[in-house]
Amino acid sequence: MTDDGGGGLGDSDPLALPDLASRALRGSVIAASDEFFAEKENLILPGAPTFTPQTFGHKGQVYDGWETRRRRGPSGALPGADEHDWVIVRLGAAGVVYAVLVDTAYFTGNYPQSCSVEGARADGYGDVASAAEWVPLVPRSPLTGDAQHVFQVASELLCTHVRLRIYPDGGVARLRVHGTVVPSPSLLEGLTFDLAALENGGDVIACSDRFYSSPRNVLSPGLSRVMGEGWETRRRREPGNEWLVVRLTGQSEVALAEIDTSGYIGNPPGAASLLGIDAAVSSLDDSSAWFPLLPRTPLLPDTPHRFRLPGSRPVTHVRLDVFPDGGVARLRLHGSLTSHGLAGVRRRWAETAGS
């Protein structure tokens, strides 16, 4: 498998891993000690923070982030409260965290002095704040204003939630929690599901071009609302075509593919094809080991295309080729895990969940 300049999305850079907290992955902010000046939900918005000077609401300057009031009790704390503020985020998918990014963009005179991050695994939908056992992910570390702070995480703990503590108060624009999804085998065994979906442990590991938007977008939950929420390449001016490679949840049998060009009206690919490989028996770099799942097939603009795939040959990775270039909103690969694939999912869950 070669890369025509796009590079892989691999694990060497933890910031290249999916943001498990992102609202785009259906993460949510479930609790906070205070959000007087700016709402806690802003923390996990997928876009970059913005700022318009001299924009005032009834509580002061409007910030795109989470901002707490100034503490005024003993040691700077609000009466009856802890001596710092905190916020709890439910991750969009359970996983292992490898890096946390705390962004204080545009907070220049009102940022926290320091922060720490903890993780927890909580089964079900109970009261996480009081019931969860919290484990340190990032020790208390200094922060500066209007800057991105990246913290490496060494823990292999499976997390469903993270808690950001700020000392003593202030504003944080964005919280990014980068890691790998670890799906629960109990929710996958015996079922047909989207094997490529980020929330099920799929991911894009390589692509030829990401000029306009990330190829990982095609695996996101829900529908693409605008072109920027899919994967769109630049206009190709040389021979060849654009492509991406998806690592599935595990070894699987794929029965149905959906290639969705919704929203791409003047810029969809003219055609697409799918190849598969079983990396349990062949190297991804062995071009002869890739076999066809879907032959080169014309695509229409602004259309969800569904294709029944023949055969039941096991695959661990699928390559989408688009001819010659263009935009794809979503790629869905429906099927089920093989016994070997399910065993791998169970093993990964046990390694990280401690069960």
Side-chain angles (χ1 to χ4, degrees), residues 21 31 34 37 43 70 73 99 110 158 161 175 184 190 245 260 268 276 282 335:
D34 183 79
F37 284 114
L43 269 178
R70 303 187 189 208
N110 49 352
L158 177 71
H161 297 74
L175 175 68
S184 171
V245 175
D260 186 359
S282 302

Side-chain angles (χ1 to χ4, degrees), residues 75-353:
S75 302
L78 291 169
D82 294 329
E83 295 186 0
H84 62 272
D85 283 311
W86 53 265
V87 66
I88 296 176
V89 175
R90 180 190 57 78
L91 302 180
V96 174
V97 179
Y98 291 104
V100 173
L101 187 151
V102 178
D103 187 356
T104 57
Y106 304 111
F107 289 99
T108 55
N110 49 352
Y111 58 90
Q113 291 181 319
S114 58
C115 75
S116 64
V117 181
E118 302 158 297
R121 173 193 168 192
D123 298 322
Y125 307 97
D127 180 9
V128 175
S130 60
E133 180 179 346
W134 296 93
V135 176
L137 299 179
V138 177
R140 183 165 174 172
S141 305
L143 296 177
T144 58
D146 196 24
Q148 293 187 345
H149 308 79
V150 178
F151 304 103
Q152 303 279 348
V153 177
S155 171
E156 282 286 323
L157 170 73
L158 177 71
C159 294
T160 59
H161 297 74
V162 296
R163 178 165 60 190
L164 170 68
R165 298 181 187 267
I166 57 172
Y167 305 88
D169 52 43
V172 175
R174 293 290 187 271
L175 175 68
R176 307 298 189 200
V177 181
H178 295 278
T180 57
V181 175
V182 181
S184 171
S186 65
L187 300 179
L188 303 180
E189 182 177 3
L191 299 178
T192 297
F193 60 94
D194 183 3
L195 297 153
L198 282 173
E199 59 191 325
N200 293 328
D203 200 6
V204 175
I205 64 165
C207 70
S208 60
D209 183 88
R210 64 188 78 176
F211 185 81
Y212 285 112
S213 50
S214 170
R216 187 175 278 138
N217 289 350
V218 300
L219 310 183
S220 295
L223 301 177
S224 174
R225 297 167 297 176
V226 295
M227 286 192 295
E229 293 184 355
W231 169 52
E232 183 183 0
T233 73
R234 74 188 79 198
R235 301 189 187 208
R236 193 175 182 94
R237 301 307 190 193
E238 60 275 349
N241 66 279
E242 309 298 351
W243 54 268
L244 59 78
V245 175
V246 177
R247 184 193 67 238
L248 305 181
T249 306
Q251 188 191 66
S252 315
E253 295 177 358
V254 182
L256 181 75
E258 179 176 317
I259 303 173
D260 186 359
T261 61
S262 292
Y264 293 98
I265 301 173
N267 50 351
S273 66
L274 295 171
L275 298 172
I277 193 173
D278 184 359
V281 297
S282 302
S283 168
L284 296 180
D285 293 323
D286 182 0
S287 59
S288 65
W290 291 83
F291 52 88
L293 298 175
L294 177 72
R296 182 166 173 167
T297 302
L299 298 181
L300 297 173
D302 198 25
T303 301
H305 307 77
R306 297 181 180 89
F307 305 103
R308 187 73 179 259
L309 304 183
S312 57
R313 192 169 172 180
V315 294
T316 58
H317 297 72
V318 171
R319 170 170 166 147
L320 168 67
D321 283 274
V322 295
F323 303 93
D325 53 36
V328 175
R330 293 290 186 268
L331 173 66
R332 307 298 191 199
L333 299 169
H334 299 280
S336 57
L337 292 167
T338 64
S339 59
H340 178 78
L342 179 59
V345 170
R346 284 174 172 163
R347 182 170 55 254
R348 179 60 173 157
W349 180 265
E351 290 170 350
T352 58

Side-chain angles (χ1 to χ4, degrees), residues 22-99:
S22 175
R23 189 66 182 171
L25 195 58
R26 296 190 291 198
S28 63
V29 185
I30 63 171
S33 58
D34 183 79
E35 52 180 331
F36 184 84
F37 284 114
E39 294 80 4
K40 61 186 186 298
E41 285 78 15
N42 293 333
L43 269 178
I44 59 171
L45 294 177
T50 61
F51 181 74
T52 304
Q54 301 298 312
T55 304
F56 294 97
H58 68 282
K59 293 182 179 180
Q61 171 68 45
V62 176
Y63 281 94
D64 182 9
W66 167 55
E67 185 184 5
T68 69
R69 75 190 80 194
R70 303 187 189 208
R71 290 180 166 267
R72 288 292 185 260
S75 302
L78 291 169
D82 294 329
E83 295 186 0
H84 62 272
D85 283 311
W86 53 265
V87 66
I88 296 176
V89 175
R90 180 190 57 78
L91 302 180
V96 174
V97 179
Y98 291 104

